[in-house]
Amino acid sequence: MKIAVLPGDGIGPEVARQAVQVLKALDLPSLTLFEGDVGGVAYKRHGHPLPAETLTMAREVDAVLFGAVGDPDCDGLERSLRPEQAILGLRKELELFANLRPARVFPGLEHLSPLKPEIANRLDVLIVRELTGDVYFGDKGTRAASDGSREGWDMMSYSETEVHRIAQVAFRAARSGDCRVCSVDKANVLETSQVWRDTVKAAAGSHPDIDLSHMYVDNAAMQIISDPSQFGVILTGNLFGDILSDLASAAVGSIGLLASASMGDRQTANGLFGLYEPIHGSAPDIAGQGRANPMATILSVAMMLRHSFGLEAEAVKVEAAVGKALTDGIRGGDLGGAHGTEAIGEAVRERL
Ligand code: NAD
Ligand code: IPM
Ligand code: MN
């Protein structure tokens, strides 16, 4: 089991450290960890947010554990040198086109959600977000507008090929639940979304067991909050998936609880090569204070065990330990509690 740990910036190293301790506590045979620089810290040390040696390391392992990147000091740099390019570059270079973001309210923990408990307890959705296309990776630039003012532009596009392959991922994932897939787009306005919708419909033709529906993204944002029980898998593009997953995390209770797995087609001995990270960022507002909730990163380790190493029992064990810690009242500041990063990590390890 070769794993590259890329802690990154802000709270990234704080949460990654706890997740690594959890991984080590499982006493898995043949675990080998490597560590690499990404983000603002990599820019400061090597002049680039995704140094060649980090990318090479990521290519040579079975899985990557990623903390977070983002540093306000770097926000003025030219875009190609900003910390965020590290995660975008890894996703693109490693062809990790499928991002799974499960948002589930742990049974008995409905009160952590700002939603009414009877609504919160029905929130169990998997967001399948396309990760290497969309307006994120199109041409972009600035130019003079017709009135002479500066104008920014970003090209949004999706090819049928890109949509077809992510739809297959959503259909496959839906089969481990009740086969419901809701494809979310903005086909009433965007040509990109019309191609998306047409392609998803066509792809579903050869999957009669899939119960496919379509929804516009503005309505979807509203429905996730008001009636989450209608969703099983949400299939959506890069930009909408980014936004809806932060929204879904707030409905669960905190962004500090949402894990993610990013995968492509590359097989490992017991699963798929993947990059695992919390959905949150580097949280500069609380960085260095030992207050970050590491649960999202610990739950990302569970996804890694499941998807890259075929260790379902260990994955369930880690998820159960996090659930038990929460049930026992272990809470970070994000959930209204007073437990710090280290205390939360320790509490999870005790319950493993
Ligand atoms: P953020 O997710 O970093 O933080 C949003 C809010 O949530 C903040 O108030 C933060 O304190 C809180 N928060 C986030 N994670 C938490 C945790 N584990 N425990 C407790 N509280 C937590 O989003 P932002 O403030 O918009 O972005 C900060 C930086 O992170 C930016 O540079 C952004 O580009 C970057 N970012 C990186 C990633 C990534 O590395 N994958 C993801 C999102 C944002
Ligand atoms: C995420 C983040 C990234 C994204 C940023 C940091 C590039 O917000 O992983 O959700 O937009 O995908
Ligand atoms: Mn995001």
Side-chain angles (χ1 to χ4, degrees), residues 1 18-28 65 104 106 257 259 294-306 311-326 344-345 347-352:
M1 295 177 63
Q18 296 308 318
V20 165
Q21 297 302 326
V22 167
L23 198 51
K24 287 183 176 165
L26 287 169
D27 264 334
L28 299 163
L65 179 66
R104 179 168 68 97
F106 285 90
L257 294 177
M295 285 175 165
T297 318
I298 294 171
L299 292 169
S300 300
V301 163
M303 294 191 85
M304 174 191 288
L305 294 166
R306 174 174 295 125
L311 296 171
E312 177 64 25
E314 284 77 2
V316 168
K317 213 166 130 181
V318 171
E319 287 164 349
V322 170
K324 182 79 169 70
L326 286 168
I344 297 173
V348 172
R349 290 190 291 278
E350 274 168 15
R351 287 161 180 79
L352 269 182

Side-chain angles (χ1 to χ4, degrees), residues 84 87-88 91 101 129 131 136 238 242 246 277 279:
E84 290 80 358
I87 187 62
L88 295 173
R91 290 170 182 170
R101 298 189 159 188
R129 171 192 179 195
L131 204 59
Y136 270 60
N238 207 343
D242 178 45
D246 270 31
E277 56 171 333
I279 78 155

Side-chain angles (χ1 to χ4, degrees), residues 82-103:
R82 293 202 203 158
E84 290 80 358
Q85 294 303 314
I87 187 62
L88 295 173
L90 283 164
R91 290 170 182 170
K92 196 69 176 177
E93 291 292 330
L94 303 172
E95 295 176 79
L96 304 170
F97 63 84
N99 185 215
L100 311 184
R101 298 189 159 188

